[in-house]
Structure formats: structure tokens, C-alpha cells
Amino acid sequence: MSAMLEVRDLVTAYGKIEALRGVSLEVQAGSITCLLGPNGAGKTTLMMTIAGILRPRAGSVRFAGREIARRPPHEIVGAGVALVPENRLVFPGMSVRENLYAGAYLRRDGEIEADLERLFERFPRLRERAGQDAGTLSGGEQQMLAVARSLMSRPKLLLMDEPSLGLAPLVVEEIFRIVADLHRDGTTIFLVEQNAHMALRVAHHFYLIEQGRITFSGDPGSLAEDEVIRRAYLGSARR
Ligand code: ATP
């Protein structure tokens, strides 16, 4: 495996608050890599910086060997990186089908309908609700839609920001089944997760982020699970 994504010394700030204070990490092609860490550690900021929604103050982000930091979001999507944002953020007043077309807004190829059909096979509930406003879906269905919408851009790297947040245990299981399926079909996945137990079950590699810095990196098993979970929720500073 080689690094598909290389983040080096990344600094992102909100005014005077540095949310990322020199983050470096790699996501290997073909892997499921997880980012764990307590609230406010900088996980969402990192995902938004990689996706081009936030501009870093310093550092670099290389995707497939190309610098993408400071490129506009649509170019990053075009390069093959898609973000499933935290809290799903589907377009509530648009139908499920319209949300899915929105995910393909950069594509000019003739395979959009075929991809839509494949997604409806993968997510049968979305087919049943294709004409319904996205805002009327359950939380789990909205999460499926957010994932499916990002897949419409045919990403090579899928960034997922806390996909299980606020969902019932059975739905969480389903989300992780989808993550495993997407990975089997060749998508590289970089996942932010509060549910460390589930994350460690699917991940090949994980990073811990605390207060804007990576404090641990390893394979599941390289740190006792209860220690990972404790640091993922509380951070090591509060030992
Ligand atoms: P959570 O799990 O709660 O989503 P997180 O690890 O994703 O946390 P971030 O949302 O990236 O953390 O936040 C990192 C830091 O940046 C926090 O201290 C947060 O208060 C701060 N922050 C985030 N968004 C903003 C903003 N729009 N303006 C100012 N500060 C912000």
C-alpha cells in the first residue's frame, strides 16, 4: 500500500484559536483509517481542511501525489475526494433523487443514471423514498443519503465525519456494514468516529488527535482498547 493522502504540519485556525497545531498523518491507498479523539480536538476541522472548505494557515495536503491544500472544494471533489459531513447535512427541501444528482454536479459523463441505479440497489430505502423531501427521512436514512450523495462524485477517498453520531445501535451497525462494503469495492476511507469500539473493529490503522495534535498512531491492537477509548473520549491530559 502507498499513501493516498499525506497531511504534513497542517495548521488551521479560527481567528486566534489554532484548532490544528501541526497535524501530520497518512492514509494508505486501500485502507480504512480512523481518526479518534475527544470533543473539540480538531477532527472536524481536519476533515474540512482536507476537503478545502477551510483554508490552512500552514502545512500541506497531498492527494495522489498532488498538492490540494488551498484548492477550492470543487477541485478537490474533482480530484477524487468526497466528504460526508458531520450531522449529515442533506438538502432538506430537495427530494432524495435531487440530493443524489447534487452529488454528481461536477460530472459530465454519461454514467450518472447507471450510478444512481447502483446506489438504489445498495440503499433500497432511498429508492423507496426517491421522490420524498430529504428532510422527512429518519436520521439513519439521512445518513445513508449523505453517504450515497458523496458517492455520486465517484470518490477514490471518502472522508466520513462521525457517520454514526446520534443514530440507534442497529443503524450504526448498518453504517459500519456500508463502510466495509465500500472499502471492499475499492474506496479508501478516512473516518472520524466517536464510537471507538466500532471504529477499531473496521480500521486498519488509527490516529488519536488531542488538542489539535496527533498523539498516537497505530494499528488496532497496538494500544489496549480501553486506553484508546478513554483517550478518544477524555484525552490523555485529563488522566
Ligand atoms: P467534535 O467531536 O465536538 O465535533 P472536533 O474534534 O471535531 O470536535 P472541531 O470541531 O474541529 O473539533 O473543533 C476544534 C476546535 O476549534 C475547538 O476548540 C472548537 O471550539 C474550535 N472551533 C471549531 N469551529 C469553530 C468556529 N467556527 N469558530 C471558532 N472556533 C471553532
Side-chain angles (χ1 to χ4, degrees), residues 6 18 25 46 51 54 62 80 85 107 148 174 200 207 239:
E6 292 177 85
E18 279 190 353
L25 54 78
L46 177 60
L54 293 172
R62 293 178 74 80
R107 289 176 55 182
E174 202 176 339
L200 292 176
Y207 289 92
R239 179 169 289 180

Side-chain angles (χ1 to χ4, degrees), residues 209-221:
I209 185 169
E210 299 172 62
Q211 298 181 359
R213 289 200 174 90
I214 301 294
T215 55
F216 188 84
S217 143
D219 304 331

Side-chain angles (χ1 to χ4, degrees), residues 14 19 38-45 86 162 194:
Y14 302 97
N39 286 335
K43 305 181 297 297
T44 296
T45 303
E86 192 174 23
E162 301 209 29
Q194 275 284 331

Side-chain angles (χ1 to χ4, degrees), residues 9-20 49 54-60 70:
D9 304 319
L10 204 62
V11 177
T12 302
Y14 302 97
K16 284 185 183 152
I17 302 167
E18 279 190 353
L20 301 181
T49 307
L54 293 172
R55 233 180 131 78
R57 191 163 279 182
S60 79
R70 302 170 193 83

Side-chain angles (χ1 to χ4, degrees), residues 37-39 194 209-211 227-239:
N39 286 335
Q194 275 284 331
I209 185 169
E210 299 172 62
Q211 298 181 359
E227 174 69 5
V228 179
I229 289 172
R230 203 181 54 71
R231 285 173 66 171
Y233 284 101
L234 302 173
S236 55
R238 295 183 215 175
R239 179 169 289 180

